[in-house]
């Protein structure tokens, strides 16, 4: 693990995010999981998909 990650963890331990920020992050994560779940089940509409496959260089 990189040393900078340890510094970031120390910063969060000393000054944790507010409950409002935690709720916001949880809501965003829930929305993303619902969208991914709908897509995996085939319930996501075709117009919302990206046209074409990603190009890997």
């Amino acid at each position: 693990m990189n040393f900078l990650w340890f510094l970031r963890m120390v910063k969060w331990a000393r000054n944790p995010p507010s409950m409002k920020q935690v709720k916001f992050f949880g809501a965003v994560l829930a929305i993303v999981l619902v969208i991914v779940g709908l897509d995996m089940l085939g319930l996501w509409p075709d117009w919302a998909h990206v046209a074409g496959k990603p190009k890997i260089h």
Side-chain angles (χ1 to χ4, degrees):
M1 189 177 266
N2 193 349
F3 182 70
L4 293 176
W5 283 100
F6 286 115
L7 292 176
R8 185 175 292 181
M9 287 188 280
V10 168
K11 179 182 172 186
W12 275 38
R14 290 182 182 166
N15 188 14
S18 67
M19 186 53 71
K20 185 177 178 181
Q21 289 174 324
V22 172
K23 287 180 183 179
F24 177 74
F25 177 74
V28 170
L29 183 63
I31 291 169
V32 168
L33 290 176
V34 166
I35 291 172
V36 170
L38 289 173
D39 189 28
M40 291 181 78
L41 291 173
L43 301 174
W44 192 249
D46 288 335
W47 60 265
H49 286 265
V50 176
K53 296 181 181 178
K55 296 180 182 179
I56 300 175
H57 297 286

